[in-house]
Amino acid sequence: MASHSKLFDDAVMALTSLPGIGKRSATRLVLHFLNRPKEEGVDFALRIQQLVREIKYCHKCHSIADDDLCQVCSSHKRNQSFLCIVESVRDVMAIEETGQFNGVYHVLGGIISPIEGKGPEHLNIETLIARLEKDGIKEVVMAISPTMEGETTIYYLSQIIIPLGINVSTISRGVSFGGELEYTDEVTLGRSILARLPYEVNK
Amino acid sequence: MASHSKLFDDAVMALTSLPGIGKRSATRLVLHFLNRPKEEGVDFALRIQQLVREIKYCHKCHSIADDDLCQVCSSHKRNQSFLCIVESVRDVMAIEETGQFNGVYHVLGGIISPIEGKGPEHLNIETLIARLEKDGIKEVVMAISPTMEGETTIYYLSQIIIPLGINVSTISRGVSFGGELEYTDEVTLGRSILARLPYEVNK
C-alpha cells in the first residue's frame, strides 16, 4: 500500500524479506508496531539483534548454543556415547520435543546433494569422525529424512561408521500413527510391509 | 520446540508477540535468521528500531510522516480543500492505493465506541474542527466503515460539519464489484436497492 513514508516502506520491505510474510502481512505488522508503545518495538528489535549477534554453535555437535558447548553436550544426564546424526538444528529441536531420545546429537549442516553441488566436504563430517573415537560413541542412530538425498547421505556415513565397529541404525519409517492406509503413499506402504514388526501385546 | 538456548527462545517469544505469528512460524523465522548472514538480521532489527523511534505523525492530518507534515498535506498536487475523514492510517493507505482520491485526509485515530469507552474526546476531532475553517475545506467525504459504531461516528461528525456549510458525503455502500448477489448479506443488498443509481451507458 502507498504509505508515503520511507521509514514505513523500509520496515515493510524488511518484513517481506522473511519467509511466509507477504506485503499485506508486513503492512499489518508495521501498523501493529506503530499501535504499540515504542518500547515494545525497540525491545523486539533488540531480541533479533542479540540472536544473530550472540548465538553460538556448539563446538562438539554444531547445534545452537549460548556457550561453547550446548546444553545437551554438557549434560551429565545425557548418554554421551549414544549419538543421533541429523541434518539441521531444526531436527534436533523436533527430536528434543518428543522427549524420547536420551543421547547426544551431531548436526551435519545439510545433506549430500549433487544437484545443489553439496558434497560430503561441505558437511560437518570431519568433526563427526574425530568425535566417534574420541567420545567413545557406542551407538549411532541416523535421523535423516528418507528422501533420495537423505538415503545417499545415510549410505555414505554408514560406510564410514560401520567399519569402526559402531552399532548403526536409522529411525523407523512406516505409516504414521493415526495415519490411514488409503492415504499413505505406495512406497511407504510397500516398505512398511517389508519392514513389518512382530506384533507384541501390551507394548 | 525445545531449543536449549535462551537467545533462541527470547527471539521466538518476541516474534510470537506479533499478530498472526504462532510458535511454529516464529521458530521457522528464527531459524531463517540463523541461516542467513548475520548482517541481514542486524539490518532487519535496525529497520524496525528506526520505524518505531523515528516515525512522526503529520501535525495536520495525524497520518504517518517522515517530517512534521506528511507528503499528502504538503503536496501542491492535492486538492487541499477536499477532505476525507478516516478512522486509521491503514485506511489512508488503502484509499491511496486506489488512486481515486485527489484530496487530503484527516485520521480520527479510532471511532466512537461506548462499549470500549471511547468517546469523541478520545479522537482527533478538535484538530478537525480547527482545520475545517482554517484550511478552507469545501467538501468532506467520510470513509468510515458502515458498522454500528461507524454510523454513530458519521452522525456525530455530520452534526458538527454540516452547520458550517460544508458539503458532506459518505463513500457509497453496496454490492462489491464482482460480488455475487446471493452471497451478499441482506442489509447490504436491501440498502443497495434503496440507494439505486441511474444506469449510465459507457461509464
Side-chain angles (χ1 to χ4, degrees):
Chain A
M1 291 206 269
S3 79
H4 299 304
S5 157
K6 196 178 174 305
L7 286 166
F8 194 100
D9 293 345
D10 282 352
V12 168
M13 243 176 55
L15 281 157
T16 47
S17 76
L18 304 181
I21 298 187
K23 206 169 169 203
R24 220 183 169 83
S25 311
T27 303
R28 203 186 48 190
L29 290 172
V30 169
L31 288 166
H32 167 83
F33 282 120
L34 296 180
N35 280 332
R36 307 290 308 167
K38 193 182 289 191
E39 295 69 33
E40 262 187 41
V42 171
D43 188 65
F44 172 86
L46 191 69
R47 299 280 180 215
I48 302 298
Q49 212 171 68
Q50 283 182 327
L51 171 80
V52 297
R53 279 206 169 129
E54 296 173 23
I55 200 99
K56 292 179 181 164
Y57 291 89
C58 176
H59 286 191
K60 226 174 188 173
C61 76
H62 307 289
S63 186
I64 53 168
D66 290 346
D67 288 301
D68 287 347
L69 275 187
C70 75
Q71 284 191 28
V72 172
C73 284
S74 56
S75 167
H76 298 297
K77 290 181 181 160
R78 309 289 297 226
N79 183 345
Q80 299 282 340
S81 67
F82 185 13
L83 188 72
C84 178
I85 300 178
V86 294
E87 185 183 335
S88 70
V89 171
R90 181 191 292 241
D91 298 332
V92 171
M93 287 163 61
I95 295 170
E96 282 298 282
E97 195 71 2
T98 70
Q100 297 294 319
F101 180 66
N102 183 39
V104 289
Y105 297 92
H106 192 85
V107 177
L108 292 176
I111 45 177
I112 297 171
S113 169
I115 294 171
E116 293 179 23
K118 214 161 187 175
E121 70 276 16
H122 299 107
L123 307 178
N124 297 320
I125 292 181
E126 263 181 54
T127 52
L128 169 65
I129 296 171
R131 201 179 158 190
L132 290 171
E133 292 205 27
K134 201 175 133 213
D135 292 358
I137 302 298
K138 294 203 179 78
E139 186 177 350
V140 163
V141 54
M142 297 202 258
I144 295 174
S145 303
T147 57
M148 182 89 84
E149 294 168 341
E151 300 285 4
T152 305
T153 309
I154 289 170
Y155 178 76
Y156 180 89
L157 292 176
S158 71
Q159 294 306 94
I160 296 171
I161 305 170
I162 292 173
L164 298 174
I166 295 169
N167 209 332
V168 174
S169 61
T170 65
I171 51 171
S172 70
R173 295 90 186 269
V175 180
S176 299
F177 281 94
E180 300 203 33
L181 286 205
E182 60 176 313
Y183 299 120
T184 306
D185 68 282
E186 289 169 25
V187 178
T188 302
L189 194 53
R191 290 201 183 179
S192 78
I193 292 168
L194 294 177
R196 63 194 176 278
L197 302 167
Y199 181 67
E200 294 175 40
V201 179
N202 290 330
K203 195 172 178 186
Chain B
M1 292 206 270
S3 79
H4 299 302
S5 158
K6 195 177 173 308
L7 287 166
F8 194 99
D9 294 344
D10 283 352
V12 167
M13 243 174 56
L15 281 157
T16 48
S17 76
L18 304 181
I21 297 189
K23 206 170 169 206
R24 220 185 169 80
S25 311
T27 303
R28 203 187 45 187
L29 290 173
V30 169
L31 288 167
H32 167 82
F33 282 122
L34 296 180
N35 280 332
R36 306 290 307 167
K38 191 182 290 189
E39 295 69 33
E40 263 187 40
V42 171
D43 187 65
F44 171 87
L46 190 69
R47 299 279 180 215
I48 302 299
Q49 215 171 66
Q50 284 183 326
L51 171 80
V52 297
R53 282 207 168 128
E54 297 173 22
I55 200 103
K56 291 179 181 163
Y57 290 89
C58 177
H59 285 192
K60 226 175 192 173
C61 75
H62 308 287
S63 185
I64 52 168
D66 291 345
D67 287 301
D68 287 348
L69 275 188
C70 75
Q71 284 191 28
V72 172
C73 283
S74 56
S75 167
H76 298 295
K77 291 183 182 159
R78 311 288 295 227
N79 182 345
Q80 300 283 338
S81 67
F82 184 13
L83 186 71
C84 179
I85 300 180
V86 294
E87 183 183 337
S88 69
V89 171
R90 182 191 293 243
D91 299 331
V92 171
M93 287 163 61
I95 295 170
E96 282 299 283
E97 195 71 5
T98 69
Q100 297 294 319
F101 181 65
N102 183 40
V104 291
Y105 297 92
H106 192 84
V107 177
L108 293 175
I111 45 179
I112 296 170
S113 169
I115 295 172
E116 292 178 24
K118 215 161 188 174
E121 69 276 18
H122 298 108
L123 306 180
N124 298 320
I125 292 181
E126 265 182 53
T127 52
L128 169 65
I129 297 170
R131 200 180 160 190
L132 290 172
E133 294 206 28
K134 200 176 133 214
D135 292 359
I137 302 295
K138 294 202 181 78
E139 185 176 351
V140 163
V141 52
M142 297 203 257
I144 294 175
S145 303
T147 58
M148 182 90 84
E149 295 168 340
E151 300 286 2
T152 306
T153 309
I154 289 170
Y155 179 77
Y156 180 88
L157 292 176
S158 70
Q159 294 306 94
I160 296 172
I161 305 171
I162 291 173
L164 298 175
I166 295 170
N167 207 335
V168 173
S169 61
T170 66
I171 51 171
S172 68
R173 294 89 187 271
V175 180
S176 299
F177 280 94
E180 300 203 31
L181 286 203
E182 61 174 314
Y183 299 122
T184 304
D185 68 282
E186 291 166 28
V187 178
T188 301
L189 194 54
R191 291 204 181 177
S192 77
I193 292 168
L194 293 177
R196 63 194 176 280
L197 301 167
Y199 181 66
E200 294 176 40
V201 179
N202 287 333
K203 196 174 177 180

